[in-house]
Amino acid sequence: MDIKQTVLDILNDLTGSDVSGAMDDNLFDSGLMDSMGSVQLLLQLQSQLGVNVPVSEFERSEWDTPNKIIAKVESLA
């Protein structure tokens, strides 16, 4: 399974944008993600990749760019 592509597909669905050209852009600062989007992201990661991250352990600064999200998921997978 290609974690990077799966994460990008999830982000593209959630944000309505192709984020693959902006891998180090802050998704929250740019307005593409908000707290509701974070919850949706975690739910999708759990259902598609089996990665379980409790919302209580979600540290936004560790999940604010596509590259950080991919690295985080790879470390948990």
Side-chain angles (χ1 to χ4, degrees), residues 11-42:
L11 288 173
N12 291 349
D13 287 346
L14 288 177
T15 64
S17 299
D18 180 1
V19 297
S20 62
M23 297 296 287
D24 292 309
D25 287 7
N26 187 306
L27 298 170
F28 295 97
D29 290 350
S30 65
L32 291 174
M33 286 277 283
D34 57 18
S35 56
M36 194 63 213
S38 301
V39 173
Q40 292 296 321
L41 172 65
L42 297 180

Side-chain angles (χ1 to χ4, degrees), residues 41-52:
L41 172 65
L42 297 180
L43 290 172
Q44 288 299 316
L45 291 174
Q46 184 173 12
S47 68
Q48 294 189 37
L49 294 170
V51 173
N52 188 20

Side-chain angles (χ1 to χ4, degrees), residues 64-76:
D64 58 5
T65 73
N67 273 333
K68 285 184 184 178
I69 294 168
I70 291 164
K72 194 76 175 167
V73 171
E74 287 176 343
S75 76
L76 297 168

